[in-house]
C-alpha cells in the first residue's frame, strides 16, 4: 500500500484511515465513556449519557490517526524477536541478582532510618511485603509453568490451602506458626498431587480449564463449608508469629522489651518482611538447584517435547506430579505467611483474579526466568500500589478522579504492549543448566512454551 | 550364523477401526544385527515401530524382547501365562503389554523419530544428559541428595558428562556442545538424536528413517555411525529406511512389508534379487520396469 510517492501527502487515504480509527474509537469508548451508571435519590441505577466524552475520544483518534497516516508512519512489521539484547546486557544481568538481593536486605532498615517508624510502615508493608509475596508466588508457579510447561490457572487454590491450613490449625489446635508453616506446605503439596492426577492426560487449553475450575472449587468450598471455614465471614484473630518465642507485644516479655527497644508496631512488620524474604529466597534456591539436577532438566525436556521424553524412559507422570506438588508447596508457604500477616483470611482473597495476576507475573517476567519473574512482580504489584500515590492527578482530572480505579486498565495496556515488544517476557532467554565451556544464553525463539 | 533373537515379533496385528495396518506379521531381530524394515509408503512400517516401542498397543500378537543370554521359549511362555509384563531377572519383556516409558526404561529399547524430536531450546549437551536421566535420577536420590550437593551425585554426574563427551566426539559436535540443539543443521540434529538415544545404553535401538533428508556424504557418515554402534557398543538396531544405499550396505537382515504383510525376509542380497519385492516396492508389474529398478538398486549399492 505504499503507492503514495514520498513527500506527497495523500489526503484521501489519510482521511479514510482516520475515519475508520474514529469509528473504532467511538465503538470501543461507547460503553465506557458515553454511558455512566449513577444511583439516583432512591438508590436506583440510572444511565446517563456523556456524549461529549465520546465525541472527544473519537476526535482525538481521528486527529491522531490522520496525522500519522499523512506522515506515512506505519508500524514496522519487524518480526518480534527476543535477541535484541547485546552481550553486555547479559554481563550486566549477572550483577542485577546480587545487587537486588543486597537492596532487598537493606530496604526495610534504610526506610526505617529515613522515614521513622510511622513513615516507613507503608513502604515496608504495602510495597516490600506485598511485592515479595507475589515474587514468591511467581517463583512457585514458575516451577509448574516455566519449567515443566504446564499451564496452571488455579494456582491461588494452593495459596488458599496454605492460608486456611495455618488459620484453622492455629485457631483450633493452638499450633504455633513455625509448626504450621511446614504443615501448610505439606497440605498444599498434597492438594497439588490431588489436582495433578486428573489433569495428567490433559494438555493446553484443557489443562488450563481444569486447573482454573480447581481453583474455583477450592474457593467455593471455603465459602460454603461454613461449619469449618466460617464461610464468607472468614477466620479472624489468627495468632501472630513470634520471634523465636518472643511475641511482638508492648509487655515486659515482648520483643521490644527484651532487646531494650522502644515498642513500635514496625518491629513486627520488619520481622514479617525478613520472613517473606527468606521464604522467597528458599523458593528461589530450591528452584535454581533443582534446575541443575536431573529432575529440572527432565521438567524442561518435558516442556520441550513430551513424546521424546517418553521415548527416553522418563516417567512423565511422576515428573508432572512432582512439579505440581513442589509448586503447590511454595504456594502453601506463601499462604501461611499471608494468614499470619493479615491475621484474617476469607475466601474473597483467593479469587480467580489472583491466579491470573500470578500467571501474568510469570508470563510477563519470562517463563522459566527467576530474575524476570521477580522484576515482573515488582512492576505489576508495585505499579498498582504506586497508583495510590498519584493524588496530584486529582488536580488535573478533578476531585472525583481515583487513579486506583484504572489499575486493571493500565495492567492490561502494559500486557498488550509487552506482548508486542517482548512476547516472551522481560527475560526471554534461557540459561543452560550445564556446559562444557562458557554458559551462553539461549534465544527464546528456540525454547518451547510447553503443551499446556 | 544363526544367533538368538533379541526381539521376536509373533503374529503382530494392528487395527485402526476398520483398517488393518499390520496383519499377522512375524519376524525376528537377531542380537548384534542391523535389521532393516522396508516397504512402500503406507506399508505399516512406522506402525510396527510404534507397537515395538509401546506408542501403540497392538490389537493382537506377542512382542518378546529377550535380553538374557539365550532365548528361552519355555520361560517366555511361562511369563506370558503369568500375566506379568516383564521379568527383569530372566531379561524377558513382553512389549505388547508395556507402556512406552516402561519399554524405554526397563526393556531398554530406545528410538528416534521420523520428524526429529530434539529438545530444541536445550543445549546439545543437555539433550545428551536427559538421555541418561534415569541412572542420574537414582544417583541424585530422586533429587534429595542432589539438592544438598552430596558428593555421590556429583561423582555420578561427572561420569555422565564423560559419557556425553565421548558421544559428542563420536558425532563431531564437541565444538557445538553449548549451542541450542534447535540451531544445529539438519544432519547434525539427526546424529544428535541417535546419540541421545544411545546415552541410555539401550539393547535395541530403533531408528525411524535415519537417513531421510541427508546428503550422500552425511548418509555415508551415518552408515559408519550405525556400524560402530553395532560393532563397538554391541547394540542391535532395527531401522526403517527408504534410502536403499543405506539399507543394502549396512543391514544384516531385511524384512519387507507391503500392505501390512510381510512379503520377504532375508539377507540384503536375497532381497535385492527378489522380483516380488521389487514389483511391490515400486508397484510395478512390467518386466522391463523391474529391470530398471534392479539397475538402480545395483547402482545404489555401488555408491
Amino acid at each position: 500500500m505504499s503507492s503514495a510517492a514520498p513527500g506527497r501527502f495523500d489526503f484521501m487515504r489519510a482521511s479514510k484511515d482516520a475515519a475508520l480509527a474514529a469509528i473504532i474509537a467511538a465503538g470501543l469508548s461507547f460503553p465506557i465513556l458515553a454511558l455512566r451508571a449513577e444511583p439516583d435519590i432512591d438508590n436506583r441505577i440510572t444511565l446517563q449519557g456523556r456524549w461529549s466524552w465520546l465525541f472527544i475520544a473519537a476526535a482525538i483518534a481521528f486527529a491522531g490517526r490522520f496525522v500519522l497516516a499523512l506522515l506515512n508512519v506505519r508500524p514496522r512489521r519487524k518480526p518480534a524477536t527476543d535477541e535484541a539484547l547485546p552481550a553486555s546486557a547479559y554481563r550486566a544481568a549477572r550483577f542485577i541478582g546480587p545487587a537486588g538481593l543486597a537492596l532487598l536486605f537493606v530496604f526495610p532498615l534504610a526506610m526505617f532510618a529515613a522515614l521513622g517508624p510511622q513513615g516507613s510502615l507503608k513502604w515496608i508493608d504495602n510495597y516490600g511485603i506485598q511485592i515479595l509475596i507475589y515474587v514468591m508466588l511467581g517463583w512457585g508457579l514458575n516451577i509448574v509453568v516455566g519449567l515443566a510447561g504446564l499451564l496452571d490457572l488455579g494456582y491461588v487454590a494452593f495459596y488458599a490451602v496454605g492460608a486456611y491450613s495455618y488459620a484453622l490449625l492455629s485457631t483450633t489446635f493452638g499450633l504455633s506458626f513455625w509448626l504450621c508453616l511446614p504443615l501448610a506446605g505439606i497440605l498444599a503439596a498434597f492438594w497439588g498431587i490431588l489436582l495433578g492426577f486428573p489433569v495428567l492426560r490433559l494438555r493446553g487449553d484443557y489443562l488450563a480449564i481444569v486447573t482454573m475450575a480447581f481453583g474455583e472449587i477450592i474457593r467455593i468450598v471455603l465459602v460454603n463449608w461454613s461449619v469449618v471455614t466460617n464461610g464468607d465471614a472468614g477466620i479472624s484473630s489468627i495468632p501472630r508469629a513470634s520471634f523465636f518465642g518472643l511475641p511482638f507485644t508492648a509487655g515486659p516479655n515482648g520483643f521490644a522489651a527484651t532487646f531494650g527497644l522502644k515498642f513500635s508496631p514496625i518491629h513486627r512488620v520488619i520481622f514479617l518482611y525478613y520472613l517473606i524474604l527468606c521464604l522467597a529466597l528458599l523458593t528461589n534456591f530450591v528452584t535454581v538447584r533443582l534446575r541443575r539436577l536431573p529432575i529440572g532438566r527432565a521438567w524442561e525436556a518435558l516442556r520441550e517435547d513430551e513424546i521424546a521424553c517418553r521415548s527416553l524412559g522418563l516417567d512423565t507422570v511422576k515428573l508432572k506430579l512432582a512439579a505440581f506438588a513442589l509448586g503447590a508447596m511454595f504456594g502453601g508457604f506463601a499462604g501461611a505467611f499471608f494468614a499470619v500477616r493479615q491475621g484474617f483470611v476469607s475466601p474473597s482473597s483467593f479469587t480467580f483474579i489472583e491466579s491470573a495476576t500470578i500467571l501474568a507475573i510469570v508470563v510477563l517476567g519470562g517463563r522459566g526466568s527467576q530474575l524476570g519473574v521477580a522484576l515482573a512482580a515488582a512492576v505489576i504489584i508495585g505499579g498498582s500500589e504506586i497508583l495510590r500515590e498519584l493524588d496530584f492527578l486529582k488536580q488535573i482530572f478533578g476531585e472525583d478522579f481515583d487513579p486506583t480505579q484504572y489499575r486493571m486498565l493500565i495492567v492490561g495496556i502494559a500486557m498488550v504492549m509487552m506482548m508486542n515488544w517482548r512476547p516472551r517476557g522481560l527475560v526471554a532467554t534461557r540459561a543452560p543448566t550445564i556446559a562444557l565451556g562458557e554458559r551462553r544464553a539461549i534465544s527464546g525463539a528456540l525454547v518451547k512454551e510447553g503443551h499446556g | 550364523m544363526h544367533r538368538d533373537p533379541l526381539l521376536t515379533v509373533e503374529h503382530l496385528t494392528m487395527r485402526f477401526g476398520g483398517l488393518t495396518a499390520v496383519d499377522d506379521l512375524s519376524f525376528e531381530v537377531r542380537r548384534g544385527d542391523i535389521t532393516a524394515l522396508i516397504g512402500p509408503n503406507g506399508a505399516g512400517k512406522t506402525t510396527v515401530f510404534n507397537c515395538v516401542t509401546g506408542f501403540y498397543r497392538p490389537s493382537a500378537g506377542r512382542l518378546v524382547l529377550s535380553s538374557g543370554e539365550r532365548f528361552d521359549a519355555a520361560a517366555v511362555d511361562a511369563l506370558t501365562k503369568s500375566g506379568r509384563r516383564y521379568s527383569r531377572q530372566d531379561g524377558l519383556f513382553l512389549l505388547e503389554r508395556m507402556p512406552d516409558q516402561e519399554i524405554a526404561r526397563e526393556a531398554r529399547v530406545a528410538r528416534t523419530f521420523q520428524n526429529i524430536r530434539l529438545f530444541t531450546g536445550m543445549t546439545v549437551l543437555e539433550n545428551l544428559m536427559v538421555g541418561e536421566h534415569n541412572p542420574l535420577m537414582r544417583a541424585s536420590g530422586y533429587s534429595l541428595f542432589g539438592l544438598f550437593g552430596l558428593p555421590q551425585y556429583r561423582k555420578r554426574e561427572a561420569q555422565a558428562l564423560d559419557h556425553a563427551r565421548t558421544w559428542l566426539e563420536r558425532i563431531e559436535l564437541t565444538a557445538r556442545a553449548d549451542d541450542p540443539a534447535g540451531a544445529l543443521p539438519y544432519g547434525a540434529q539427526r546424529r544428535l538424536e541417535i546419540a541421545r538415544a544411545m546415552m541410555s545404553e539401550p539393547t535395541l535401538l530403533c531408528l525411524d528413517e535415519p537417513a531421510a533428508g541427508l546428503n550422500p556424504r552425511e548418509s555415508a557418515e551415518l552408515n559408519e555411525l550405525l556400524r560402530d554402534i553395532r560393532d563397538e557398543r554391541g547394540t542391535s538396531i532395527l531401522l526403517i529406511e527408504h534410502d536403499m544405499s543405506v539399507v543394502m550396505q549396512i543391514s544384516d537382515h531385511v524384512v519387507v512389508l507391503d500392505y501390512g504383510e510381510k512379503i520377504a525376509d532375508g539377507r540384503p542380497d536375497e532381497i535385492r534379487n527378489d522380483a516380488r519385492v521389487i514389483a511391490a516396492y515400486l508397484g510395478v508389474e512390467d518386466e522391463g520396469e523391474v529391470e530398471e529398478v534392479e539397475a538402480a538398486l545395483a547402482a545404489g549399492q555401488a555408491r
Side-chain angles (χ1 to χ4, degrees), chain A residues 286 289-290 292-295 297-298 300-301 304-305 307-316 430 432-438 440 442 446-448, chain B residues 55 100-101 104-105 111 113 117 119-123 125-126 129-130 133-134 136-137 143 146-147 149 153 157 161 165 168 177-180 182 196:
Chain A
V286 171
R289 279 311 274 265
L290 285 183
R292 297 188 178 170
L293 288 177
I295 193 169
R297 274 197 286 271
E300 293 200 77
E304 297 282 323
D305 195 325
I307 289 178
C309 281
R310 299 214 312 248
S311 82
L312 293 169
L314 273 64
D315 195 333
T316 53
R430 177 183 171 273
T433 59
I434 192 167
L436 288 185
E438 192 197 358
R440 288 189 299 263
I442 295 170
L446 292 168
V447 180
K448 299 219 173 71
Chain B
F55 280 75
D100 46 12
Q101 23 196 351
R105 199 166 52 241
R111 74 169 288 180
F113 297 86
R117 285 182 176 273
F119 307 127
T120 52
M122 301 171 83
T123 64
L125 181 63
E126 283 178 310
M129 293 296 272
V130 174
H133 172 79
N134 283 318
L136 280 172
M137 192 73 175
S143 305
L147 192 59
Y153 170 68
E157 193 188 34
L161 210 54
R165 268 201 204 97
L168 282 171
D178 299 332
D179 286 345
R196 184 183 68 182

Side-chain angles (χ1 to χ4, degrees), chain A residues 271-346:
Chain A
F271 165 69
L272 286 176
Y273 176 90
Y274 281 113
L275 177 59
I276 186 67
L277 182 58
C278 289
L279 285 172
L281 289 179
L282 174 78
T283 313
N284 183 43
F285 172 79
V286 171
T287 311
V288 168
R289 279 311 274 265
L290 285 183
R291 241 195 108 217
R292 297 188 178 170
L293 288 177
I295 193 169
R297 274 197 286 271
W299 279 334
E300 293 200 77
L302 199 61
R303 177 194 66 205
E304 297 282 323
D305 195 325
E306 187 176 338
I307 289 178
C309 281
R310 299 214 312 248
S311 82
L312 293 169
L314 273 64
D315 195 333
T316 53
V317 169
K318 282 189 195 144
L319 287 169
K320 284 184 184 178
L321 289 181
F324 269 119
L326 204 71
M329 186 180 80
F330 290 120
F333 286 157
F337 175 84
F338 174 78
V340 81
R341 174 208 183 198
Q342 305 290 80
F344 167 74
V345 290
S346 80

